[in-house]
Amino acid sequence: MTYDRLVMLDDIGRIFTFKSGRIISGGFLVGFSSGTDIVASGGNFGGWVYSDILVDAGSCGSANVIGIALNTVGSEQPVAVAMEGIFVLPAGPRGINGGTLVAVSSGTTYGSVTPVPVESTLATEGGSILGLIGRALSTATANTGFAVVKIW
């Protein structure tokens, strides 16, 4: 499956800048990697800078997804991350059904070359649905298709 660019269908959403933990390609889901003990750049609670929170495409899993990288950057560089919006994303091994809740695909090898796919989810633990990142607006075939997804 080829997915070599960011396909963002809207430009209205929450966008923040974080520090990259390694090379990140635009269009990849990114997750929290690490952060300072006090996210305030120097210990005062008056604010923070982009380097207080480190994100990574390689450690991305449903539980820690922050959003989608909007640009390709090197390691330890500022990366703009959309935390809300409508995107075209690759489908994982269970595929995507239009209208269903979407999570990061389980059992996927996350790396710096292959984007993290998403899939419809019914996975629960203790009665709660885990790792939701948004809702599918269209249907996609497992492993080969792409779906329009509203992330939140």
Side-chain angles (χ1 to χ4, degrees):
M1 164 177 12
T2 302
Y3 184 76
D4 59 1
R5 66 182 65 104
L6 171 68
V7 182
M8 184 165 117
L9 301 179
D10 71 350
D11 61 358
I12 301 171
R14 294 176 297 140
I15 298 172
F16 291 94
T17 300
F18 301 101
K19 183 178 179 181
S20 63
R22 66 174 82 174
I23 296 170
I24 297 175
S25 296
F28 281 28
L29 292 167
V30 295
F32 174 81
S33 178
S34 66
T36 58
D37 289 338
I38 300 172
V39 181
S41 297
N44 81 37
F45 293 100
W48 65 286
V49 296
Y50 83 89
S51 59
D52 284 338
I53 299 175
L54 195 69
V55 296
D56 193 345
S59 64
C60 187
S62 282
N64 71 345
V65 169
I66 291 177
I68 298 176
L70 294 181
N71 53 323
T72 299
V73 299
S75 181
E76 299 189 6
Q77 299 297 310
V79 58
V81 176
M83 301 178 76
E84 185 178 340
I86 300 172
F87 298 85
V88 175
L89 297 175
R94 292 195 303 176
I96 298 175
N97 297 316
T100 59
L101 297 173
V102 173
V104 172
S105 181
S106 59
T108 302
T109 300
Y110 307 124
S112 59
V113 177
T114 305
V116 178
V118 294
E119 62 186 20
S120 295
T121 183
L122 299 174
T124 63
E125 181 176 301
S128 300
I129 297 176
L130 296 177
L132 300 178
I133 64 165
R135 182 176 299 279
L137 302 178
S138 68
T139 298
T141 307
N143 295 318
T144 59
F146 295 86
V148 177
V149 177
K150 165 81 170 99
I151 66 162
W152 55 64

